[in-house]
Amino acid sequence: MMRRLPYGLDSARGCLSMRSIMRRWLGLGLLLACLGWFTTSWATELPAELPTPASGTSTAIGGDDTGAPIVVWDRTIITLYAPYGGKDASERARIATDRINAALDDLAPEDISVAWAESGDEKSVIVRTTYSVLFNVRPGDVGSTDRVMLEHAGEQAAGVLREIIRVRAEARRPAELVKDIGFSLLVTLALVALCWLLMRANGWVQRKLVAVAEEHLKLNIGGYDLRPVIWSLLQRLAALVYLLLVLFLGYLWLSFVLRQFPYSRPWGMQLGQYLMDSGLRMLAALLGQLPNLLTLIMIYLVTRGVMRVVGSWFSAVERGTVHVGWLDGAMAAVTRKLVSALIWLFALTIAYPYIPGAGSYAFKGVSVLLGLMVSLGSSGIVNQVMSGLVVLYSRAVRVGDFVRVGEFEGRVLELGTLSMKLMTRTHEEITVPNAVLSSTPLRNLDRQSHSQGLLLIAHVTVGYDTPWRQAVALLELAAARTSGVLKEPKPFVLHTSLSDFYVKYELNVSTPNPSLYMQTLSDLYRNILDVFNEFGVQVMSPHFRQMVQEKVWVPPEHWYEAPAKPPQDGPDASSTSGPP
């Protein structure tokens, strides 16, 4: 089971752990590289078959473009191109192969000789044994009539044939076979041991990488902890390196074992040569890409320097040490991320032509696929991002404001790229997409409440038999008794309607804390009920089922029932209670 390390360890330990991981992997890579170099270089020290003569000649004189090789014991002696004696190149090669195979068991390396033959305009080099001719090399086979080249091609072919005879005789000796099998078994045991060490190293590296990432890597995007993803990626990367190393060792083992046995030695040589050629091609490609890599490094360093300068300025605005009229702290954080993304995109656009493989069809195909995916799938995301920018730069809301969006209201916890998070009074976290913010009226209860408070409205309906001055005084008294109501501005009462059965009063009060307006409003309604009960005034509005016999009205002597007080200069029918 994987061990989880606690947070808070010093960074030096993490750096040392990472350095130890890199040292071990580097040492292991150098060991394997030395092993590959030793095996491939050892192969070049073995007695190797001579190259095929006349290989690489284009069009032979008097022949065709397609050559016919003489292949014996999986080795190509020479490739013939020219016809001779009414036989084409392929027929000549077949006859020569049959002759050599028929005489191979009775031949010794010293039996092979080369002779020059010339009759009129006919010139050739004969490769023969003591008693018979095996094949001849004609000017059309080497692409030249020069005698020196013909003799050189014949000597090369004879040398390859002598080597075949020698190797074939070596393969028949039991002592050589036992030695070859012993070397192969020894190398196989070494392969198993190295694979076991690699497996142990892979497990150790994976544990170390996860431990270092858990201790020191902090990656949180949008409230999501991405460290498990990074751990999994590191583990998969270490497993991939382990697999590649095992395959590399298996390749070296196969090449080495094939070279131990004379018959399969050409296959092992080809494998080793292919590995060397691939390594040289990769090295040449790397050297060829060095100018582009240096350009990419310069672009990265310049972009990073620009990012540091821009980030420092926006951070200063966010902290309040730098004041700009068109940008405040809340906008500076989002603007910094937006500007950073634009700068990196611009740098990527400049660096694109210098990326290795950028001009290949595979790279272009991947670019087209990614562009198509972004085009089809980003319309909704772009809508959310642009809506969020509209809300942000219109300064409609800030983090910490108490707002109402549709049926939801609460304190703003976060203004994200795609959504806004609210904490309601019931401690629910509501995520509102930015597209909803741009299409739905957003009520900011905090923005204008700092100076005069948030205005709360309480509606009360009272029958016509209650003097309106008394009802107003009762409502003002209830407002005065409520602790969450401001004294200034002074509460006031409005008559909003004279309905069929009652008079509708509207009490307006101010509260300094918008997030607690529901509690303040509840306290206000409680005090209204208490005050009306104290003075015996009925709050519930009666609905008449039949017209009452007596007149429903308030005589003037009852206009100022308690707690209403008449004005000092006498009754004034036109005086009303309203906003100051």
Side-chain angles (χ1 to χ4, degrees):
M1 184 175 180
M2 191 173 297
R3 182 172 62 93
R4 300 281 185 177
L5 297 180
Y7 292 94
L9 297 180
D10 57 324
S11 59
R13 179 181 174 186
C15 295
L16 290 174
S17 300
M18 185 60 71
R19 284 198 294 268
S20 63
I21 294 172
M22 298 302 296
R23 282 200 302 268
R24 295 198 181 191
W25 275 112
L26 183 60
L28 186 59
L30 290 176
L31 174 63
L32 295 177
C34 292
L35 180 61
W37 173 83
F38 171 76
T39 53
T40 50
S41 61
W42 181 84
T44 59
E45 295 174 1
L46 289 175
E49 289 73 14
L50 294 174
T52 302
S55 60
T57 57
S58 56
T59 303
I61 300 177
D64 54 22
D65 297 340
T66 304
I70 300 176
V71 180
V72 177
W73 237 55
D74 256 347
R75 288 144 172 94
T76 300
I77 297 176
I78 192 173
T79 301
L80 304 179
Y81 292 90
Y84 177 69
K87 300 178 179 62
D88 58 8
S90 59
E91 184 68 16
R92 290 177 57 204
R94 184 187 63 78
I95 294 174
T97 302
D98 293 341
R99 289 176 181 175
I100 294 172
N101 287 329
L104 199 59
D105 292 338
D106 301 325
L107 291 177
E110 57 272 12
D111 295 335
I112 306 300
S113 61
V114 177
W116 172 260
E118 182 175 355
S119 176
D121 294 334
E122 296 291 336
K123 301 176 182 179
S124 65
V125 172
I126 299 174
V127 179
R128 54 174 296 166
T129 65
T130 306
Y131 304 103
S132 63
V133 175
L134 299 178
F135 60 90
N136 60 354
V137 182
R138 299 185 55 77
D141 297 327
V142 298
S144 175
T145 59
D146 184 61
R147 177 173 178 173
V148 176
M149 291 190 64
L150 278 171
E151 290 181 343
H152 179 68
E155 287 293 342
Q156 279 189 320
V160 174
L161 184 54
R162 295 187 190 102
E163 182 64 23
I164 291 173
I165 297 171
R166 187 193 64 77
V167 172
R168 195 167 182 271
E170 176 187 339
R172 292 182 173 183
R173 292 197 292 268
E176 291 293 332
L177 182 61
V178 172
K179 184 188 71 173
D180 296 340
I181 294 175
F183 271 118
S184 300
L185 291 177
L186 183 63
V187 172
T188 303
L189 292 177
L191 173 69
V192 173
L194 284 174
C195 290
W196 180 80
L197 289 176
L198 282 176
M199 182 178 64
R200 296 294 300 271
N202 177 49
W204 181 85
V205 167
Q206 288 195 14
R207 290 192 298 271
K208 277 293 184 180
L209 285 174
V210 171
V212 171
E214 186 177 18
E215 290 176 14
H216 304 283
L217 182 63
K218 295 181 179 179
L219 189 57
N220 190 293
I221 298 178
Y224 296 99
D225 189 2
L226 296 183
R227 284 177 297 178
V229 178
I230 302 300
W231 301 337
S232 178
L233 181 61
L234 292 176
Q235 287 179 315
R236 297 296 184 272
L237 183 61
L240 179 61
V241 173
Y242 164 71
L243 178 61
L244 292 177
L245 291 177
V246 169
L247 292 177
F248 177 72
L249 287 177
Y251 188 95
L252 293 180
W253 169 83
L254 181 61
S255 175
F256 184 87
V257 170
L258 289 176
R259 286 197 300 268
Q260 300 310 303
F261 301 95
Y263 186 79
S264 60
R265 190 167 296 161
W267 304 340
M269 294 291 295
Q270 290 177 4
L271 290 177
Q273 189 63 36
Y274 177 76
L275 183 63
M276 291 294 295
D277 292 343
S278 300
L280 291 176
R281 283 196 301 268
M282 293 175 61
L283 181 60
L286 180 62
L287 293 177
Q289 292 294 333
L290 280 180
N292 291 339
L293 293 177
L294 292 176
T295 304
L296 291 175
I297 293 174
M298 289 300 299
I299 292 174
Y300 171 76
L301 293 177
V302 172
T303 306
R304 189 174 180 183
V306 173
M307 283 299 305
R308 287 188 174 181
V309 174
V310 173
S312 300
W313 186 81
F314 278 108
S315 298
V317 175
E318 187 177 356
R319 291 191 303 268
T321 56
V322 175
H323 298 280
V324 182
W326 55 272
L327 192 66
D328 57 15
M331 293 173 57
V334 180
T335 307
R336 174 172 54 85
K337 297 178 182 179
L338 182 62
V339 172
S340 300
L342 292 176
I343 291 176
W344 281 114
L345 286 176
F346 180 73
L348 181 61
T349 303
I350 297 177
Y352 179 84
Y354 302 99
I355 298 176
S360 63
Y361 289 106
F363 203 99
K364 293 177 181 178
V366 172
S367 302
V368 171
L369 178 61
L370 291 178
L372 183 61
M373 293 173 61
V374 171
S375 300
L376 295 178
S378 64
S379 58
I381 297 178
V382 171
N383 183 26
Q384 300 288 354
V385 173
M386 296 306 297
S387 300
L389 294 178
V390 169
V391 173
L392 175 68
Y393 287 103
S394 64
R395 303 187 181 185
V397 64
R398 294 287 182 270
V399 175
D401 289 351
F402 192 82
V403 299
R404 180 183 300 163
V405 182
E407 59 178 324
F408 303 108
E409 64 180 19
R411 185 72 64 183
V412 178
L413 297 179
E414 178 184 343
L415 282 173
T417 306
L418 303 177
S419 62
M420 179 179 71
K421 295 185 182 299
L422 300 178
M423 178 66 73
T424 66
R425 63 184 182 87
T426 57
H427 300 287
E428 295 177 311
E429 185 177 290
I430 305 296
T431 301
V432 183
N434 287 338
V436 175
L437 295 179
S438 62
S439 60
T440 303
L442 187 147
R443 302 179 181 180
N444 194 325
L445 306 183
D446 267 341
R447 181 61 57 84
Q448 303 297 331
S449 63
H450 298 294
S451 57
Q452 295 184 346
L454 177 67
L455 194 65
L456 303 181
I457 298 175
H459 292 95
V460 180
T461 57
V462 183
Y464 283 97
D465 55 345
T466 301
W468 67 266
R469 295 175 180 82
Q470 183 185 24
V472 169
L474 291 172
L475 293 174
E476 291 176 347
L477 179 59
R481 291 183 179 182
T482 305
S483 59
V485 173
L486 293 174
K487 305 302 181 182
E488 292 293 336
K490 185 179 179 181
F492 61 93
V493 180
L494 298 177
H495 294 68
T496 58
S497 68
L498 300 176
S499 301
D500 293 340
F501 307 106
Y502 49 75
V503 179
K504 188 174 182 180
Y505 299 90
E506 181 183 279
L507 174 61
N508 296 265
V509 298
S510 298
T511 179
N513 195 345
S515 62
L516 299 179
Y517 82 94
M518 288 295 294
Q519 182 62 42
T520 304
L521 200 58
S522 175
D523 294 342
L524 180 61
Y525 278 119
R526 291 172 182 172
N527 291 326
I528 289 174
L529 291 175
D530 290 342
V531 169
F532 273 68
N533 287 333
E534 289 176 13
F535 289 90
V537 177
Q538 183 178 359
V539 175
M540 184 182 68
S541 304
H543 288 192
F544 298 113
R545 293 185 178 273
Q546 62 179 2
M547 189 65 183
V548 296
Q549 298 299 322
E550 64 274 9
K551 186 177 181 180
V552 180
W553 68 295
V554 179
E557 60 269 17
H558 296 291
W559 282 4
Y560 296 96
E561 294 287 346
K565 297 179 180 179
Q568 298 297 328
D569 54 352
D572 185 6
S574 63
S575 64
T576 59
S577 178

